[in-house]
Amino acid sequence: MSVVATPTALVPEATVLLVLLPPAVAGQAPALSAGALRALQARLGPAVRVLKVDEASHPTVVRSFSGQPAALPACVLVRQGVELWRQPGLPQADAIEARLRIE
C-alpha cells in the first residue's frame, strides 16, 4: 500500500479511500498515475486519506474488499473500519465528495 499524502496526525475518525488496483501489466500505463492520486488527495483535503492498494503487492487486502474474483479497479470509502461506500472503477472526486456530505 502506498500513502499518497501523509497527514501530520491521523485521527481515529479519519476517513480512508482505498483505491484498489489490479497488478500492473508490463508495457502498459498504470491504471491510475501517481499524479492523479496526488491531485485527488489535494482535492479531498486532510479529511480523507487516499491509499493506493495494488493487488500484486497486497493481494489479501484487495481480496478482502473486492471479493473473488476481484472486480478491479475499485474504490472503497472506510471510516473507523466501517465501509461507508464502494464504487467500481477508478475514483471520481465528485462522487466521493458528495458521499462525504451525506455521511
Side-chain angles (χ1 to χ4, degrees):
M1 269 180 284
S2 64
V3 177
V4 176
T6 305
T8 54
L10 186 60
V11 294
E13 302 83 34
T15 301
V16 178
L17 176 66
L18 300 172
V19 180
L20 308 174
L21 299 173
V25 177
Q28 290 184 352
L32 190 64
S33 72
L37 284 171
R38 281 192 299 276
L40 176 63
Q41 180 66 73
R43 181 166 174 186
L44 296 176
V48 179
R49 184 176 180 196
V50 178
L51 295 176
K52 178 180 84 170
V53 186
D54 184 287
E55 185 179 29
S57 301
H58 303 284
T60 305
V61 174
V62 170
R63 279 192 302 273
S64 72
F65 281 100
S66 63
Q68 280 292 24
L72 300 176
C75 301
V76 181
L77 194 64
V78 179
R79 183 180 297 137
Q80 294 181 329
V82 177
E83 182 178 322
L84 302 175
W85 170 82
R86 73 173 51 220
Q87 161 194 305
L90 296 174
Q92 299 172 0
D94 292 338
I96 296 163
E97 289 173 330
R99 188 66 191 178
L100 290 170
R101 285 192 293 271
I102 294 170
E103 295 299 326

